[in-house]
Amino acid sequence: MIQGIEIVGLGRQLPALRVTNQEIAEMTDTSDEWIRTRSGIQSRYFCRDGETQADLAAGAAEKALADAGIKPDEVGMCIVATATPEYVTPSTAALVQKNLGLPEDIPAFDLNAACTGFIYGLQLACSMLYAGALRHPYVLLIGAERLSGVIDPAERSTYVLFGDGAGAAVIRASELRRFFCRLGVRGDDAVLYGPTHEKPDPYLHMNGRAVFRFATEAISSGIALLEEESGVKAAEVEYIVCHQANQRIIEHVQKRLKLPREKFFINLHEYGNTSAASIPLALAEMKESELLVPGTRLFLLGFGGGLTKGAAYVEF
Ligand code: UT7
């Protein structure tokens, strides 16, 4: 028996405020040209005027439930992948339970695997669905971030890259759709870290070049693992969706593996790096553009703080 999953609904939510590179250049020592050529990013969205990370999570989740055509009381587990939760406690997942009126007899919790959080969540969703541990048949998996709260305008190498947003997926068990997933971590608190209580230091810090190297290696090795496990070659899947951090990272892998540029879905030019939200945000946008139809096969690749990495093969 295949123990696969089906993504039956997708949704996304962005803050109201869109910030262009030009506007970023008025706040920190940079230029539109530098940001575009080094990252491919042209704009990002920032929460303002009381908009919260939990609002983004609930907004994306509501749309994903509507897209799936299911009611809140059919949700058996709620996971919010995030590195920027609203509070240390309660979890954002608890706030979503309250906001959407999800059942009280379900597990709901936050998961921090930074930018790889959505892929970690897919593996957990699949495992819990087949463990028979859930009282209702659907898992609500959300990636939601408010990175604008942890970036320092004085640190231009991070400030220009990140944005806020949320994406959500409704998932159920499927014996028709195959699913493979590989997760990993290389513990490191020097390359990408923060904020911390110790100093106290409210900001995120990053050695961009070291992350770049880790990312290209994580994506290339993740693709090789998925090819081996699924028996499907990267050249055969309809799309490869990488964590949307930097266009140069994606192009580097695309060239190294000699794959066509069109196979890689990219939307980072509009949203910047939204960490755990980036992959579900991409999937929701792909579905809206009718790129995800029954039979579509995807490789999903994540990497980020931790340093975490993850690779998943998903069939629509
Ligand atoms: O979710 C995972 C999150 N992280 C990532 O994915 C990051 C991966 N890494 C990257 O995306 C790239 O390494 C960056 C975009 C962060 C940086 O690009 P780079 O080509 O590796 O630049 P660099 O750090 O080597 O810096 C080159 C120059 C430096 O000046 P000098 O020393 O050559 O004079 C920096 O000071 O660019 C300067 N610089 C900037 N200049 C204008 C750094 N940030 C900026 C900036 N505007 N925002």
Side-chain angles (χ1 to χ4, degrees):
M1 186 183 85
I2 293 175
Q3 294 201 338
I5 55 172
E6 179 179 7
I7 298 179
V8 293
L10 286 160
R12 64 193 172 106
Q13 182 81 26
L14 279 315
L17 178 68
R18 180 172 180 269
V19 183
T20 63
N21 287 350
Q22 203 55 51
E23 289 163 317
I24 287 285
E26 287 160 19
M27 297 181 250
T28 191
D29 178 20
T30 190
S31 65
D32 173 48
E33 205 258 333
W34 192 95
I35 304 170
R36 272 174 201 258
T37 53
R38 299 286 175 143
S39 72
I41 295 165
Q42 297 173 22
S43 62
R44 74 287 292 141
Y45 292 77
F46 284 170
C47 286
R48 284 292 181 272
D49 303 327
E51 275 177 313
T52 69
Q53 179 258 5
D55 294 338
L56 297 178
E62 209 165 4
K63 290 176 186 164
L65 291 178
D67 183 45
I70 71 152
K71 298 194 179 59
D73 62 11
E74 294 175 272
V75 172
M77 177 165 74
C78 174
I79 305 173
V80 178
T82 184
T84 52
E86 198 57 44
Y87 300 98
V88 171
T89 192
S91 66
T92 300
L95 300 176
V96 171
Q97 182 276 332
K98 178 183 176 198
N99 192 322
L100 298 192
L102 302 180
E104 288 190 12
D105 61 351
I106 66 167
F109 56 93
D110 291 358
L111 180 169
N112 182 353
C115 311
T116 320
F118 186 78
I119 296 182
Y120 270 59
L122 283 178
Q123 176 71 295
L124 253 172
C126 183
S127 307
M128 289 292 271
L129 284 166
Y130 285 96
L134 306 180
R135 300 173 71 92
H136 312 281
Y138 295 93
V139 172
L140 179 57
L141 172 60
I142 306 163
E145 303 280 11
R146 189 167 77 92
L147 289 148
S148 62
V150 298
I151 46 177
D152 181 359
E155 204 166 310
R156 62 181 181 173
S157 58
T158 51
Y159 194 71
V160 304
L161 300 176
F162 294 97
D164 304 339
V170 177
I171 298 160
R172 72 172 171 213
S174 169
E175 290 170 15
L176 299 174
R177 289 169 179 78
R178 299 184 311 146
F179 172 70
F180 299 97
C181 190
R182 282 288 193 96
L183 306 174
V185 67
R186 179 192 299 165
D188 184 302
D189 60 356
V191 169
L192 181 49
Y193 66 95
T196 168
H197 297 292
E198 286 305 317
K199 290 183 193 158
D201 177 353
Y203 295 122
L204 189 72
H205 306 282
M206 177 175 76
N207 176 338
R209 286 195 171 184
V211 180
F212 198 104
R213 281 194 297 276
F214 177 77
T216 51
E217 184 43 44
I219 297 173
S220 305
S221 60
I223 288 177
L225 285 170
L226 292 179
E227 287 184 326
E228 197 182 307
E229 288 207 20
S230 68
V232 180
K233 293 281 172 213
E236 295 168 330
V237 295
E238 278 67 32
Y239 293 101
I240 297 173
V241 184
C242 299
H243 164 49
Q244 303 287 305
N246 185 327
Q247 186 155 334
R248 280 166 56 223
I249 292 176
I250 298 172
E251 283 171 357
H252 186 97
V253 173
Q254 177 238 321
K255 286 181 186 140
R256 191 200 280 184
L257 301 181
K258 300 189 173 55
L259 291 165
R261 162 71 185 77
E262 315 73 64
K263 205 170 272 296
F264 291 81
F265 181 82
I266 298 178
N267 66 1
L268 61 89
H269 50 274
E270 176 69 14
Y271 308 111
N273 181 345
T274 58
S275 191
S278 96
I279 291 178
L281 201 51
L283 295 180
E285 197 169 301
M286 290 173 79
K287 188 165 186 190
E288 286 165 32
S289 310
E290 297 178 358
L291 299 179
L292 303 181
V293 294
T296 302
R297 295 159 299 175
L298 301 178
F299 279 179
L300 309 179
L301 286 312
F303 57 87
L307 300 166
T308 54
K309 58 182 177 176
Y313 170 80
V314 177
E315 295 179 347
F316 270 79

